[in-house]
Amino acid sequence: MRYIIIIFTLFLFSCKSADVSERIIDRPVIFNEERKELSLNYLKERYDLQQSSPEITPKMIVLHWTAIPDLESSFRAFNPVKLPGAREDIQQAGALNVSAHFLVDRDGTIYRLMPETTMARHVIGLNHVAIGVENVGGTRETPLTKAQLKANIDLVKYLNEKYDIEYLLGHYEYPQFEGHELWLEKDEGYRTQKTDPGKDFMQKVREKTKNLNFKPVPKNP
């Protein structure tokens, strides 16, 4: 009887994971030869990593918000290969456009923009090990929704099954990794201040994924 219960539990767990994977809609951003070369250059210049392909080994999941109110505008922000001129705050670190691996719409629909093992530029110092999840909205008029919360929780669980994920963090927590063995950004002056995806949102995601036993985010020095 005990073995039957174990097998049934594993079956339910695997079915849940399959359900998430079936909900993911592939909507890739442009990833041509130019974006590949810019990604390789980013890895070399920012992290001193000389690679033949922009592959990463995921060790963390970073949750974001776009601060853009709708899906199409959010997608258009990530799709171009190069940064727009308006992003002067991060132009100094290279022309590669920002992006993420997943984009979650306000109704909870999950879009995959890039393969999880391809580097996306979404978090300073940690892009070489980080899967990025962007959530549409995050403004006062378009706060993150319950549907997005559920989608993020499901996605974190799904990704944790696929990869050896050690950390789950909100974008605002990235500076706490300075000095950590995973931190590779060489320029001490290249930092941005972030608040996404909000402390309340992160607390709720962590509460629902605490059984995954992620390592705690390093404390500020």
Side-chain angles (χ1 to χ4, degrees):
M1 184 65 181
R2 178 188 174 197
Y3 294 107
I4 294 175
I5 293 173
I6 292 173
I7 292 171
F8 183 66
T9 302
L10 291 173
F11 173 75
L12 289 177
F13 192 67
S14 63
C15 286
K16 185 175 182 180
S17 300
D19 178 60
V20 176
S21 65
E22 291 171 2
R23 286 161 46 199
I24 295 172
I25 300 171
D26 285 305
R27 188 180 180 182
V29 295
I30 297 169
F31 204 97
N32 54 16
E33 192 63 27
E34 183 180 23
R35 197 168 200 148
K36 175 184 175 182
E37 291 303 314
L38 287 172
S39 299
L40 291 173
N41 186 65
Y42 190 96
L43 288 165
K44 180 181 177 181
E45 297 298 322
R46 311 314 308 173
Y47 302 151
D48 223 6
L49 294 175
Q50 185 79 47
Q51 299 182 189
S52 59
S53 65
E55 293 182 7
I56 68 170
T57 300
K59 294 292 182 183
M60 62 175 61
I61 301 167
V62 184
L63 306 185
H64 305 254
W65 62 36
T66 66
I68 299 172
D70 63 88
L71 174 68
E72 294 306 317
S73 298
S74 295
F75 181 81
R76 286 196 298 269
F78 301 131
N79 193 37
V81 170
K82 290 186 175 181
L83 277 173
R87 295 305 305 270
E88 294 181 0
D89 56 329
I90 58 175
Q91 285 277 4
Q92 60 172 313
L96 176 66
N97 194 20
V98 294
S99 55
H101 299 89
F102 295 93
L103 179 61
V104 182
D105 199 1
R106 290 174 52 75
D107 65 359
T109 305
I110 302 170
Y111 296 90
R112 178 161 39 210
L113 308 186
M114 299 172 60
E116 296 106 81
T117 54
T118 297
M119 193 206 80
R121 181 180 181 180
H122 63 99
V123 57
I124 292 173
L126 301 166
N127 290 306
H128 61 296
V129 291
I131 294 175
V133 179
E134 288 277 0
N135 290 276
V136 174
T139 67
R140 180 177 298 179
E141 294 75 22
T142 58
L144 301 189
T145 66
K146 291 182 178 179
Q148 285 174 308
L149 176 63
K150 184 180 185 306
N152 277 249
I153 292 166
D154 291 345
L155 190 53
V156 167
K157 292 178 179 179
Y158 165 72
L159 293 171
N160 184 67
E161 289 178 45
K162 290 186 69 175
Y163 305 103
D164 183 21
I165 301 298
E166 298 179 5
Y167 296 96
L168 170 66
L169 60 146
H171 194 192
Y172 66 90
E173 296 175 299
Y174 87 87
Q176 296 174 217
F177 278 85
E178 288 193 51
H180 189 277
E181 62 182 358
L182 292 178
W183 179 268
L184 292 186
E185 174 57 50
K186 297 191 298 181
D187 184 355
E188 294 183 2
Y190 178 46
R191 304 289 186 273
T192 54
Q193 290 187 340
K194 299 295 181 179
T195 59
D196 58 316
K199 292 183 178 181
D200 182 62
F201 189 84
M202 281 306 304
Q203 182 178 353
K204 290 176 180 177
V205 174
R206 285 195 168 110
E207 178 62 28
K208 294 297 184 179
T209 58
K210 62 183 178 182
N211 63 313
L212 302 182
N213 297 315
F214 293 126
K215 296 179 181 178
V217 173
K219 300 292 185 182
N220 283 319

